[in-house]
């Protein structure tokens, strides 16, 4: 039952109570008044009191929602018509007033019932009036003809009122449905806007003229140092931001220098705008995180640098191949002395190093899409270690695969996963060794919390200092004199392309662990669903 229909139903019941009270008042009027003329006072009073009791019961039941409202309205209208006809029989000279009050019942019923059912009650009332006129008054008299005409006109009016109210009801229902749909759309739009503002990377605050914060999104909350919910005074929460707001409101000038609003958060550049023109009561504050701008600039720089470096690398490759081929031919000569052989060996070593640098630069410019497959991570790790040992001479160093959790199933691009693991193993064999000792490297496949597949490359070297560990995944950052600083950066980029996370974990007791948290098949299925 909609709100409009409920109000109409309640109005009909309140009117019925008032109508019944009129009947009671007329039936209990003093005899000396002479109006109305009561043919049978006892029956009139019984009918009026019974109708009043019914009206009160109908009003009480109307206050409760009921799925059978149409049936209740039909029964109530039938009682209204019957009570009106009985009142006409007992109070004949109150005829016009009773017939007019019945028109209100039929009109309200037409707002609640289908057209056919409402027209049925209009016809029932019309036939009742005509039947009462024919039975109560002597046939052939002028009074009879007048009352017949009167009853016919009221019957015509009943049908007209029912038709008009039905049309109005249809329009009201259409308008209410449209308003309800618009209300739902506005609520959804407001919810979407609120979600967008809440998840924006730019901090947003709404501040009034008393320097009190009314609304704040997640980014602004973090950029202000995660304050408690009851802290709403901008002056106490961020004095520098409050000072800049006051300066902007008084002078109209914006200070665009970056500032840090709390310890341990990025610097921001505040911007201000009034919520309404020429109204300083509410001001919107936007906090632009400078780290996001720097990161975007870094990405653009890396993209441009990658394209430039790739074109240079292609040009270097051909002469480098010619140098290496010539060095190999020199090494096959029989009359070379030890010094010349050492020179050829140096040339070959540096050619290999240059080729590695070129491969890293080409990978930086070549962002291939991942082609994920379902892998048994334990078998994959064993095959990877075997292939690595077959293609690389690691001397006295050790490299082994460990599958500590039985079957470990993951979803990843096997080619990109091999590039990541190869890079991590290469670094572990190169840097993960104690002075004067061989490197000991393990490739571990296991299940983490909640069944998440994990691939770890662990060494027993000196580990990485915390200050260095915080920057090892940044591009071009290296602590080795011959390093490019691209290996770990590319490894993390390829990991993220496979919806995986690569992190450095310091090993208790010495050593380093690079942990690759991969995606299980179930989670991929959920994402696709």
């Amino acid at each position: 039952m909609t709100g409009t229909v409920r109000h109409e139903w309640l109005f009909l019941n309140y009117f019925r109570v008032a109508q019944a009270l009129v009947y009671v008042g007329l039936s209990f009027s003093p005899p000396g008044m002479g109006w109305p003329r009561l043919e049978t006072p006892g029956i009139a009073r019984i009918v009026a009191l019974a109708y009043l009791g019914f009206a009160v019961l109908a009003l009480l039941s109307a206050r409760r929602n009921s799925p059978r409202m149409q049936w209740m309205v039909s029964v109530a209208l039938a009682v209204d018509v019957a009570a009106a006809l009985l009142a006409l029989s007992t109070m004949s000279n109150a005829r016009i007033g009773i017939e007019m009050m019945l028109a209100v019942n039929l009109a309200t019923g037409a707002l609640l019932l289908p057209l056919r059912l409402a027209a049925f009650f209009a016809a029932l009332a019309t036939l009742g009036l005509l039947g009462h006129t024919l039975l109560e008054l002597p046939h052939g008299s002028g009074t009879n003809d007048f009352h017949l005409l009167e009853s016919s006109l009221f019957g015509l009016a009943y049908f007209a009122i029912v038709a008009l109210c039905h049309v109005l009801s249809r329009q009201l229902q259409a308008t209410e449905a449209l308003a309800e749909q618009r209300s739902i759309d506005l609520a959804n739009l407001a919810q979407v806007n609120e979600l967008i503002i809440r998840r924006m990377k730019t901090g947003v605050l709404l501040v009034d003229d008393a320097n009190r914060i009314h609304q704040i999104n997640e980014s602004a909350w973090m950029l202000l140092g995660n304050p408690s919910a009851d802290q709403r005074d901008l002056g106490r929460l961020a004095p520098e931001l409050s000072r800049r707001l006051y300066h902007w409101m008084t002078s109209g000038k914006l200070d665009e220098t970056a500032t840090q609003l709390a310890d341990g958060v990025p610097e921001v550049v505040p911007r201000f705008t009034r919520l309404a023109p020429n109204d300083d009561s509410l001001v919107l504050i936007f906090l632009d995180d400078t780290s996001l701008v720097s990161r975007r600039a870094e990405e653009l720089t890396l993209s441009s640098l990658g394209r430039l470096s790739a074109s240079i690398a292609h040009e270097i490759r051909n002469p480098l191949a010619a140098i290496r081929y010539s060095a190999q031919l020199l090494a096959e000569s029989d009359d070379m002395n030890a010094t010349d052989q050492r020179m050829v060996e140096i040339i070959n070593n540096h050619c290999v190093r240059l080729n590695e640098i070129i491969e890293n630069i080409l990978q930086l410019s070549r962002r291939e899409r991942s082609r994920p497959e379902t892998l048994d991570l334990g078998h994959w790790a064993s095959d990877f270690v075997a292939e690595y040992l077959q293609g690389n001479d690691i001397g006295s160093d050790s490299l082994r695969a460990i599958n500590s959790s039985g079957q470990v199933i993951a979803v990843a691009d096997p080619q990109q996963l091999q590039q990541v693991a190869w890079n991590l193993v290469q670094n572990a064999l190169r840097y993960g060794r104690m002075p004067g000792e061989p490197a000991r490297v393990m490739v571990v496949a296991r299940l983490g919390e909640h069944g998440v597949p994990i691939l770890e490359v662990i060494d027993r070297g000196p580990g990485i200092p915390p200050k260095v560990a915080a920057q090892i995944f940044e591009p071009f950052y290296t602590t080795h004199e011959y390093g490019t600083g691209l290996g770990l950066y590319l490894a993390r980029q390829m990991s993220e392309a496979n919806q995986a996370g690569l992190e450095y974990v310091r090993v208790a007791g010495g050593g380093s662990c690079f942990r690759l948290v991969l995606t299980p098949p179930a989670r991929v299925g959920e994402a696709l669903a």
Side-chain angles (χ1 to χ4, degrees):
M1 184 187 298
T2 63
T4 303
V5 172
R6 179 173 175 79
H7 291 155
E8 293 167 351
W9 176 222
L10 285 172
F11 169 79
L12 177 58
N13 283 278
Y14 279 119
F15 176 78
R16 183 178 293 113
V17 172
Q19 187 178 17
L21 290 173
V22 171
Y23 290 169
V24 171
L26 292 174
S27 62
F28 283 92
S29 61
M33 287 183 58
W35 190 93
R37 187 177 69 251
L38 301 177
E39 305 293 340
T40 51
I43 297 176
R45 292 165 183 169
I46 292 173
V47 169
L49 291 173
Y51 186 54
L52 178 60
F54 171 78
V56 172
L57 290 176
L59 177 60
L60 294 176
S61 63
R63 290 182 171 276
R64 296 176 297 178
N65 287 327
S66 174
R68 305 173 63 186
M69 193 200 69
Q70 184 173 320
W71 178 83
M72 294 171 62
V73 174
S74 301
V75 171
L77 283 180
V79 173
D80 292 338
V81 172
L85 294 176
L86 289 173
L88 285 175
S89 300
T90 57
M91 295 175 283
S92 58
N93 60 341
R95 180 186 187 91
I96 294 179
I98 295 173
E99 291 172 342
M100 291 181 67
M101 285 192 293
L102 183 60
V104 178
N105 297 83
L106 296 173
T108 311
L111 296 174
L112 302 170
L113 297 175
L115 180 60
R116 289 185 179 181
L117 195 54
F120 166 76
F121 285 108
L124 184 64
T126 303
L127 292 175
L129 293 179
L130 293 173
H132 173 266
T133 303
L134 292 174
L135 291 175
E136 292 296 325
L137 297 175
H139 184 67
S141 66
T143 305
N144 180 273
D145 294 339
F146 173 76
H147 284 301
L148 277 176
L149 178 61
E150 182 185 273
S151 299
S152 300
L153 291 176
F154 265 106
L156 183 62
Y158 289 164
F159 279 102
I161 290 172
V162 164
L164 178 61
C165 288
H166 178 73
V167 172
L168 291 176
S169 174
R170 294 288 297 273
Q171 291 181 351
L172 283 173
Q173 290 175 6
T175 303
E176 185 177 10
L178 180 60
E180 186 176 355
Q181 183 60 44
R182 293 283 173 83
S183 176
I184 293 173
D185 293 342
L186 285 174
N188 291 337
L189 182 60
Q191 192 173 4
V192 170
N193 289 337
E194 183 181 356
L195 181 61
I196 291 173
I197 293 173
R198 193 188 317 140
R199 296 299 176 88
M200 281 175 60
K201 296 297 183 184
T202 300
V204 180
L205 299 93
L206 181 63
V207 181
D208 62 12
D209 51 1
N211 222 24
R212 183 172 178 80
I213 300 173
H214 282 262
Q215 292 184 3
I216 181 171
N217 70 346
E218 292 178 0
S219 297
W221 180 72
M222 294 176 62
L223 292 171
L224 289 174
N226 305 339
S228 59
D230 59 343
Q231 288 183 304
R232 291 288 177 176
D233 188 352
L234 185 64
R236 294 183 179 180
L237 194 61
E240 175 62 18
L241 185 60
S242 178
R243 186 194 65 78
R244 293 196 184 194
L245 174 61
Y246 177 78
H247 177 71
W248 174 78
M249 293 181 67
T250 54
S251 66
K253 296 180 181 180
L254 181 64
D255 186 356
E256 296 186 356
T257 58
T259 182
Q260 190 176 31
L261 301 178
D263 294 334
V265 298
E267 291 186 337
V268 296
V269 176
R271 293 182 292 112
F272 310 102
T273 182
R274 293 176 176 86
L275 195 61
N278 302 321
D279 184 8
D280 292 334
S281 60
L282 291 173
V283 176
L284 277 173
I285 303 177
F286 298 95
L287 304 177
D288 295 325
D289 186 351
T290 56
S291 64
L292 297 177
V293 179
S294 302
R295 198 175 303 130
R296 180 59 180 163
E298 181 181 301
E299 290 176 357
L300 291 174
T301 302
L302 286 173
S303 178
S304 302
L305 182 60
R307 287 193 294 269
L308 175 63
S309 302
S311 61
I312 297 175
H314 280 296
E315 297 298 327
I316 295 175
R317 242 181 173 179
N318 291 332
L320 180 64
I323 293 171
R324 189 173 185 184
Y325 181 66
S326 300
Q328 289 174 348
L329 291 178
L330 281 174
E332 294 175 359
S333 176
D334 295 332
D335 55 352
M336 289 183 64
N337 55 37
T339 303
D340 292 339
Q341 289 180 353
R342 176 57 182 161
M343 291 297 179
V344 170
E345 184 181 346
I346 292 173
I347 292 173
N348 281 327
N349 290 337
H350 282 280
C351 285
V352 170
R353 179 172 168 269
L354 276 174
N355 191 59
E356 288 180 1
I357 295 173
I358 290 172
E359 287 296 328
N360 284 337
I361 292 174
L362 290 177
Q363 287 183 26
L364 180 65
S365 63
R366 188 194 305 141
R367 302 286 182 89
E368 298 179 358
R369 290 187 63 182
S370 63
R371 296 176 176 83
E373 300 177 8
T374 302
L375 305 173
D376 185 333
L377 207 56
H379 291 165
W380 183 92
S382 300
D383 295 341
F384 167 79
V385 169
E387 183 178 348
Y388 188 92
L389 292 175
Q390 185 177 1
N392 298 272
D393 183 12
I394 65 173
S396 61
D397 298 333
S398 67
L399 174 64
R400 59 195 179 102
I402 299 175
N403 186 12
S404 60
S405 304
Q407 192 177 39
V408 181
I409 304 299
V411 175
D413 185 329
Q415 184 176 358
Q416 292 184 352
L417 183 61
Q418 184 170 12
Q419 293 179 24
V420 173
W422 189 92
N423 204 323
L424 297 177
V425 169
Q426 190 81 354
N427 283 346
L429 290 171
R430 182 177 298 170
Y431 308 114
R433 65 175 72 243
M434 299 301 289
E437 297 182 8
R440 294 177 294 159
V441 180
M442 297 175 289
V443 180
V444 181
R446 64 180 181 86
L447 288 174
E449 294 183 3
H450 310 294
V452 177
I454 292 176
L455 184 71
E456 294 176 327
V457 177
I458 303 173
D459 64 65
R460 290 298 177 183
I464 302 176
K467 290 185 178 180
V468 176
Q471 306 177 68
I472 55 176
F473 292 106
E474 294 181 5
F476 305 112
Y477 178 82
T478 180
T479 57
H480 196 273
E481 58 178 334
Y482 297 125
T484 61
L486 290 174
L488 290 176
Y489 171 75
L490 291 171
R492 174 170 276 188
Q493 291 291 309
M494 282 186 281
S495 301
E496 292 175 353
N498 286 270
Q499 287 78 49
L502 178 61
E503 60 180 349
Y504 169 75
V505 180
R506 189 171 180 85
V507 178
S512 299
C513 171
F514 283 89
R515 180 176 297 161
L516 186 64
V517 182
L518 295 160
T519 306
R523 191 171 299 174
V524 173
E526 291 171 4
L528 293 175

